[in-house]
Amino acid sequence: MVRARLADDGRSLHGSERIELRNTTPQPLRELQLHLYWNGWKSNQATWLAEQSRGLGRRKDRKVRNDSYAAIDVTRLVLSVRGSDLGALAPETVALDLLPSAAFIAPDDGNPADESVLRVPLPQPIAPGMAAGFDLEFELVVPRIVARAGRKDDFLLFAHWLPQLGVLEERTPAAGGGFGWNTHQFHANGEFFGEYASYDVTLDLPEKYEGRVGATGSCVEGPAKSGPGRVRYRFTQDDVHNFAWTADPGYVVVRRRFEAQRALSDPRLAAERLRVKAAAALSDAALELRDVEVTLLLQPEHADQADRHFRAVFESLSWMGIWFGAYPYPTLTVVDPRWGSGASGMEYPTLITAGSRVDPSSREFTPEGVTVHEFCHQYFYGLIGSNEFEHAWLDEGFTTYCTARVLEAAYGHDWLGTTIGVDRVEGRPLLSAAPAEYGLERLLGLQALAPPSLRDTAGFPLFADDPAILWYRDLPFLTYIAGPRPPVEAQRAGFVSGKPSDDRLNRCSFEYRDGGAYRENAYYKPATALHTLQRLIGEPAWTRLLREYAVSQRFRHPRPNDFFEVVRKHIRGHELEKEIAELLPQIFEGSGVLQYGIASVKSREELLPAGYTGHGGNRRLLAAAEPSQATKNYYSEILLERAGEVIFPVDLEWKLEGESPRRERWDGKERWWRKVIPSGRKLEWARIDPDRKLLLDVDWSKQEATVEGDGRASARWTVRALLAAQTQLQLFGALR
Amino acid sequence: MIALASKALLGTVRAACLWRIWGLLLLSQLAIALPVVLPAGRAFREASNHRIESPHFSLATDFAAWSDLLPRLALLEPVLAAVAFAAFALGIASSAGWAALAARGDLRPTAAAFCSAAGEYFFRFLRLAMISLIAIAALRWLLYGSPSEALLRAWCGSEELTELSSEPVARAFVRSRSTLFVVGTAAAVLASDLGRLHLIRAGSHSALAAIAVGVRRLMRSPLRCGTAAAAAFALEIALLYVISFWVSAASSGDATQLNVASLFVATLAVGVIRETTRAGRFAALAAVSEDGR
């Protein structure tokens, strides 16, 4: 139970909190550990800001504004126990001040300046099964938003703002076994981990926020006057592991109800429901969805995007509900944060922040992409409460994977687009159309030069950054390509364009080599791995597998092995059971890449026998002769190679002239393998992974090969490259 | 104004008839672009041989494979710098040729006269271009450098656009700044073009004096100068838009010899449009500066 009062100027908050805790472990509980996340921004010596200044985290700027420092001080911390719950302390009710013995700890980096974890020794252990209550008071200094928490002008987003218990969990044998607190410090790379609880939060706010407040859970009271110029709200929610709230006097509030029956009458969803029912052998009841009250808090400039948000949310509620079980909460709040608040794209229980901009094209996934992604987190983070510090991929990877699946199921695909300044242009420059770092800047993207001599000598680019000049330089209507962008392939492209071998996937988020390695290993690689596993394992086993994982781990804190166990269970009897089992640690533990390719294909005409035959007087010379077209015979070979470290069998498919394609599997263990077709018709082509299952393969450009090349397509692209080059070069010609 | 726009149009059409001149310029442009395009062509060719249905090899049919190919296409920055400088020099030479044809009534519109004028005025135009570039750089510093940051800091407490109160405000700021920069850059290019015409007519060698004349003429009749340049620019962009449909049509569907050839012709046409509209601009500006003498 929390009561919080925000000061009129929005720069401080006073709160009181009662935490009721029952020791559900078999061991006595001797101490508490509390997260005080906002102390991560207390000073530039605190771990979060110190890591930020070293270039970790999402923010690029190293400087911290004076008003971006924050603080949370616990000013009172009292243990109040009913006598019956704490036999050893006999009195009927005790109230012990715990603050004097409390101390900050830094379990991750030993940083003495970090105050994001408070350790509170208990005067008497709480016995297994016993309960205790703790009363806290705390003061918050509210910062200019740092990492999606704080204020911007009078926009407020309060996330991870409460003193919050860590998670009391059974340690792995490697970590010493037994039970203990899992309470990491607040880090620039990485997110959170909390225990499920019931929240009852009363907010006392300045009157200007009346009717413009959103929070985790249901509003059970308010808005009600709480004093002159003040307004009060009360929200409650069970079974969530955090509580966030937001307020902005400028919000445009739109409410709509997601009606489960109506959603399921959609033929697409009805068909999917039948498919999942059959695949996972589920009852109709297990596939029921629940009605949800959805509140959209929009910025006025995005008011015309309400329908797009609602569709994204309703589609997500439907598809995710069918795949992973119904969304169990009665409410969902979607927040469109204020411009420049940096609060876009974040998930909290029953509350998500979206990401949008003015006038998005109807052909792109803005705002849908972020809204769907953050909703998917309601499952992989919210309901399946994995440890975001230690296994970021279990929430971000699964969520990224689900985002692609929902977007594909609901919308199909979006389109390539580029932002020039603040304006969106459909399509991307021809030679940077791929997401590979939008990498052709180094080829025809002469923008990298801009022009080089001036950039180097004057210390700033002459033309870069100006949208009109960039437009004139690129002339998008001549040099851009607007193509479809399938979500799954876009995710794979994100994976490939990163640095897949820079780091291994399964490590603490704050221990990754850098922000790029975090994004690669928390988001793109696991998502691509899941798409790969989906294709390898196939339906219906994959549907069953994911469903079982999601349902069995609901309101729990799964670890990677919990997922692997489910995978191993569901691949029993699969033709690639052993290989898939061996693939799991290669992907999820190692940093190797999967890369198979066709090194060469050859098909040579077999010569008819010629030369001497026989011996002595019987020796005769056979003259070389040209075989007739009908008797021509070819020796063909296909050389496959493994350029990556990850080993997995690959299928080879090849076609001889006039014949049907044939397939053979290579175990992929050696560095190369030669498929010889000693005799037969001429080889036309060969390809590996013909069903495109191995999305994890980092280079698809060498997965096919033809014996006789065809230059027409390459000639056309080369001419397009010439046009792009000329267009870019004309800017230099125009500098006179 | 209509007369000036007509001059620009007429100048463009006349230049379009001078096929030897723009043919020469196109060949030079192709030569300059080759170091950039040939490696790309080789990579495309290799990638194409790795596709079973190579005539269909396009973004639409194989986005992922295309993505994987791109990292292999890379050139060294020094090569790019050399290419960029060559393009810059060609732009100056071409301007000298077209400006001379527009400003000197005694010059016969032949390729030889064009080349001769390009050589004669090249270094003077180069000096003028440097002055123009310095002006543009100063303008950029003003609008994007410390003064702009100071303005933003005074306005919203930070040099970050994200500190502005709303997205529409930020967009308006970006557009206003961009408009100012574009107008300023256009003015710098226009003043230097007027200066070039003066250099040719007066036969002077001082780039500084020429640009001063250009600035004075621009300030005296900004509307007429602006109309002359804008008419040529509008014509250029409109024609390029037309070409873009051609490019798009030739890029879609299966690659055939016909659409490869068609695309190449479209690419050449883009070069022709740029050069001839440049000639059109000089013709219109010559009329303005003639009136102002």
Side-chain angles (χ1 to χ4, degrees):
Chain A
M1 182 177 292
V2 179
R3 295 182 73 88
R5 185 181 195 281
L6 182 74
D8 285 340
D9 63 2
R11 289 168 186 268
S12 63
L13 178 143
H14 174 84
S16 60
E17 181 180 7
R18 178 165 175 81
I19 300 173
E20 291 182 352
L21 165 74
R22 181 171 294 280
N23 181 5
T24 56
T25 73
Q27 292 179 357
L29 185 62
R30 300 175 191 282
E31 65 177 36
L32 300 183
Q33 288 187 8
L34 288 163
H35 287 288
L36 302 175
Y37 285 113
W38 283 25
N39 276 343
W41 310 316
K42 186 170 182 178
S43 77
N44 58 9
Q45 305 303 302
T47 293
W48 198 99
L49 284 178
E51 289 177 346
Q52 171 75 22
S53 71
R54 292 199 295 270
L56 298 173
R58 293 161 194 257
R59 289 162 57 105
K60 298 284 176 237
D61 51 324
R62 296 178 63 239
K63 277 196 300 185
V64 182
R65 294 162 48 123
N66 283 340
D67 60 355
S68 285
Y69 291 111
I72 174 169
D73 284 333
V74 176
T75 54
R76 180 169 175 264
L77 175 51
V78 169
L79 167 66
S80 50
V81 196
R82 290 185 295 275
S84 56
D85 281 345
L86 199 63
L89 286 178
E92 286 201 353
T93 304
V94 292
L96 298 173
D97 185 2
L98 302 180
L99 210 49
S101 57
F104 294 109
I105 57 171
D108 299 331
D109 63 3
N111 176 5
D114 191 70
E115 299 181 0
S116 61
V117 178
L118 185 68
R119 177 176 172 270
V120 186
L122 297 175
Q124 179 80 13
I126 301 173
M130 293 292 111
F134 301 88
D135 290 306
L136 294 87
E137 290 197 14
F138 59 95
E139 298 284 345
L140 279 175
V141 176
V142 183
R144 160 65 171 86
I145 282 186
V146 186
R148 303 185 175 108
R151 64 188 159 76
K152 190 204 172 195
D153 304 327
D154 45 10
F155 164 80
L156 304 170
L157 180 61
F158 276 65
H160 302 283
W161 56 292
L162 291 166
Q164 187 184 7
L165 282 176
V167 175
L168 192 55
E169 63 171 19
E170 187 171 8
R171 295 194 180 105
T172 59
F179 284 81
W181 290 102
N182 188 311
T183 323
H184 289 283
Q185 294 163 251
F186 196 17
H187 294 274
N189 253 348
E191 296 181 307
F192 310 94
F193 188 36
E195 191 52 270
Y196 290 97
S198 296
Y199 282 81
D200 181 338
V201 179
T202 301
L203 302 170
D204 183 351
L205 307 172
E207 196 174 29
K208 63 184 172 185
Y209 293 114
E210 183 171 349
R212 302 287 187 271
V213 178
T216 294
S218 305
C219 181
V220 294
E221 195 182 318
K225 293 282 176 196
S226 58
R230 307 287 301 181
V231 65
R232 188 177 66 236
Y233 282 90
R234 183 170 161 230
F235 293 88
T236 60
Q237 184 61 58
D238 295 334
D239 298 326
V240 289
H241 48 61
N242 206 297
F243 182 93
W245 63 276
T246 179
D248 185 343
Y251 277 146
V252 173
V253 183
V254 193
R255 291 194 175 86
R256 288 183 198 165
R257 188 170 183 79
F258 169 75
E259 293 170 14
Q261 284 311 317
R262 194 170 158 196
L264 289 175
S265 64
D266 182 323
R268 298 168 307 147
L269 292 160
E272 183 66 3
R273 193 162 173 248
L274 283 177
R275 190 189 69 78
V276 173
K277 183 182 174 185
L282 296 170
S283 66
D284 283 336
L287 286 160
E288 287 300 321
L289 303 181
R290 288 184 56 168
D291 289 3
V292 180
E293 203 64 54
V294 181
T295 303
L296 188 54
L297 303 174
L298 282 172
Q299 293 301 316
E301 62 263 32
H302 301 155
D304 58 340
Q305 295 168 25
D307 288 344
R308 295 183 70 165
H309 281 289
F310 276 117
R311 184 181 168 202
V313 168
F314 288 4
E315 294 274 8
S316 305
L317 278 162
S318 305
W319 293 100
M320 293 292 283
I322 289 172
W323 293 331
F324 305 118
Y327 175 76
Y329 306 111
T331 64
L332 178 75
T333 301
V334 182
V335 178
D336 176 23
R338 190 175 285 195
W339 162 260
S341 63
S344 301
M346 190 60 191
E347 68 281 5
Y348 307 102
T350 81
L351 183 147
I352 59 177
T353 67
S356 190
R357 61 168 191 285
V358 170
D359 291 333
S361 159
S362 60
R363 301 209 307 176
E364 59 173 315
F365 287 156
T366 298
E368 291 86 353
V370 178
T371 303
V372 169
H373 181 89
E374 304 311 332
F375 177 81
C376 293
H377 269 304
Q378 293 301 311
Y379 284 76
F380 296 100
Y381 148 84
L383 297 174
I384 296 131
S386 52
N387 187 332
E388 293 183 292
F389 286 102
E390 295 178 3
H391 316 294
W393 70 272
L394 277 182
D395 68 294
E396 292 298 354
F398 272 82
T399 294
T400 305
Y401 162 80
C402 291
T403 305
R405 283 195 64 187
V406 172
L407 289 173
E408 212 156 61
Y411 299 93
H413 54 70
D414 71 345
W415 293 78
L416 297 173
T418 308
T419 300
I420 297 184
V422 289
D423 291 315
R424 189 80 169 169
V425 177
E426 281 204 359
R428 291 225 181 98
L430 169 75
L431 292 177
S432 61
E437 299 290 337
Y438 307 121
L440 266 284
E441 284 193 348
R442 290 171 62 204
L443 177 65
L444 291 186
L446 294 173
Q447 59 264 45
L449 298 174
S453 53
L454 283 178
R455 180 194 278 276
D456 294 344
T457 54
F460 61 89
L462 183 60
F463 286 118
D465 305 338
D466 185 84
I469 298 290
L470 291 181
W471 181 87
Y472 181 61
R473 181 199 64 195
D474 290 345
L475 291 184
F477 53 87
L478 276 182
T479 63
Y480 277 34
I481 286 190
R485 189 171 62 162
V488 175
E489 291 192 4
Q491 280 180 7
R492 178 188 167 274
F495 160 65
V496 172
S497 66
K499 292 176 179 166
S501 56
D502 261 11
D503 211 337
R504 64 186 166 87
L505 184 148
N506 196 21
R507 62 159 76 239
C508 287
S509 53
F510 52 88
E511 289 176 344
Y512 282 117
R513 170 178 163 154
D514 51 34
Y518 169 63
R519 275 188 297 281
E520 180 79 349
N521 289 289
Y523 291 77
Y524 293 125
K525 183 175 176 182
T528 308
L530 291 171
H531 289 301
T532 301
L533 287 175
Q534 178 183 357
R535 284 157 174 73
L536 289 175
I537 294 170
E539 299 293 349
W542 182 251
T543 298
R544 276 200 304 272
L545 179 167
L546 276 191
R547 175 98 188 179
E548 180 178 324
Y549 171 67
V551 172
S552 66
Q553 296 300 329
R554 191 172 268 214
F555 302 124
R556 303 181 70 164
H557 302 301
R559 292 178 174 149
N561 211 35
D562 294 310
F563 173 62
F564 299 151
E565 283 301 323
V566 179
V567 174
R568 283 191 279 265
K569 174 183 163 188
H570 284 272
I571 58 174
R572 270 177 216 142
H574 192 285
E575 60 169 337
L576 290 170
E577 176 184 347
K578 180 168 166 283
E579 288 82 0
I580 293 173
E582 287 172 355
L583 182 65
L584 294 177
Q586 295 186 78
I587 300 171
F588 294 103
E589 299 291 342
S591 60
V593 296
L594 180 72
Q595 187 176 356
Y596 288 95
I598 298 180
S600 64
V601 286
K602 293 175 192 163
S603 196
R604 291 198 189 111
E605 191 184 324
E606 289 271 79
L607 300 176
L608 291 177
Y612 289 108
T613 61
H615 304 277
N618 293 328
R619 185 185 300 131
R620 296 169 68 186
L621 179 65
L622 269 177
E626 277 293 311
S628 68
Q629 198 64 30
T631 58
K632 270 186 183 174
N633 209 22
Y634 287 84
Y635 166 88
S636 304
E637 64 174 48
I638 306 156
L639 184 63
L640 306 189
E641 62 184 5
R642 173 170 65 82
E645 300 80 17
V646 172
I647 293 173
F648 194 77
V650 286
D651 289 335
L652 168 68
E653 186 179 58
W654 72 90
K655 183 177 181 301
L656 304 181
E657 278 179 353
E659 295 184 4
S660 301
R662 295 182 209 174
R663 287 190 181 191
E664 192 170 331
R665 182 166 289 165
W666 172 36
D667 65 16
K669 288 179 179 165
E670 293 289 343
R671 278 288 173 182
W672 59 271
W673 178 62
R674 194 189 320 271
K675 169 64 189 171
V676 174
I677 305 154
S679 170
R681 296 193 180 174
K682 189 176 181 184
L683 178 66
E684 267 186 31
W685 53 258
R687 64 179 166 194
I688 55 172
D689 189 24
D691 301 322
R692 279 281 163 93
K693 291 180 177 175
L694 299 176
L695 273 76
L696 273 172
D697 192 306
V698 296
D699 186 358
W700 277 1
S701 69
K702 285 196 160 181
Q703 293 204 325
E704 302 180 354
T706 51
V707 174
E708 302 287 343
D710 185 326
R712 287 172 296 174
S714 58
R716 184 164 67 172
W717 287 114
T718 306
V719 179
R720 285 297 308 256
L722 175 65
L723 177 57
Q726 296 237 22
T727 303
Q728 305 244 335
L729 288 170
Q730 58 88 24
L731 183 71
F732 293 90
L735 290 176
R736 292 160 293 107
Chain B
M1 299 302 164
I2 293 171
L4 277 176
S6 309
K7 288 268 184 198
L9 181 61
L10 207 59
T12 303
V13 173
R14 276 193 189 133
C17 298
L18 304 174
W19 64 270
R20 281 195 182 87
I21 296 177
W22 54 251
L24 193 65
L25 291 169
L26 285 187
L27 282 177
S28 310
Q29 286 178 6
L30 288 176
I32 289 169
L34 277 185
V36 179
V37 174
L38 286 181
R42 274 198 296 272
F44 289 134
R45 176 73 200 202
E46 187 197 339
S48 174
N49 288 346
H50 269 282
R51 309 311 304 169
I52 292 173
E53 292 122 359
S54 65
H56 311 283
F57 177 47
S58 68
L59 269 182
T61 56
D62 208 339
F63 175 82
W66 172 264
S67 306
D68 294 351
L69 157 73
L70 292 182
R72 280 190 254 139
L73 308 178
L75 268 187
L76 295 175
E77 286 209 349
V79 177
L80 289 175
V83 167
F85 180 76
F88 176 59
L90 182 65
I92 288 176
S94 146
S95 292
W98 291 123
L101 289 184
R104 281 173 50 179
D106 61 320
L107 216 55
R108 287 189 59 226
T110 61
F114 184 92
C115 293
S116 159
E120 184 181 350
Y121 299 114
F122 182 82
F123 287 103
R124 278 178 266 181
F125 274 37
L126 185 63
R127 291 199 295 276
L128 249 170
M130 289 303 164
I131 296 170
S132 171
L133 277 179
I134 288 167
I136 294 170
L139 183 68
R140 194 192 183 283
W141 175 77
L142 198 67
L143 292 172
Y144 289 90
S146 309
S148 168
E149 289 173 2
L151 176 72
L152 273 171
R153 263 197 304 277
W155 184 10
C156 59
S158 163
E159 60 268 28
E160 300 288 328
L161 288 176
T162 50
E163 290 305 313
L164 294 172
S165 59
S166 70
E167 191 181 348
V169 172
R171 293 170 83 94
F173 178 82
V174 168
R175 288 213 175 106
S176 310
R177 184 167 62 176
S178 182
T179 304
L180 278 176
F181 184 57
V182 168
V183 169
T185 303
V189 172
L190 209 49
S192 62
D193 277 351
L194 290 165
R196 285 185 182 98
L197 291 168
H198 170 77
L199 264 181
I200 293 169
R201 282 199 173 119
S204 97
H205 284 261
S206 167
L208 264 177
I211 205 134
V213 171
V215 170
R216 200 173 63 233
R217 287 209 172 129
L218 180 60
M219 294 189 55
R220 262 196 208 158
S221 44
L223 208 57
R224 286 169 58 76
C225 293
T227 304
F233 181 72
L235 185 62
E236 178 189 346
I237 296 297
L239 291 172
L240 290 181
Y241 259 116
V242 173
I243 295 288
S244 74
F245 291 106
W246 182 358
V247 168
S248 176
S251 300
S252 57
D254 287 0
T256 63
Q257 283 172 350
L258 182 66
N259 65 25
V260 172
S262 165
L263 197 55
F264 185 66
V265 173
T267 304
L268 296 180
V270 167
V272 176
I273 288 168
R274 290 222 177 84
E275 287 303 327
T276 54
T277 51
R278 178 179 289 178
R281 187 170 77 239
F282 275 115
L285 286 176
V288 175
S289 59
E290 185 70 28
D291 297 346
R293 288 175 91 178

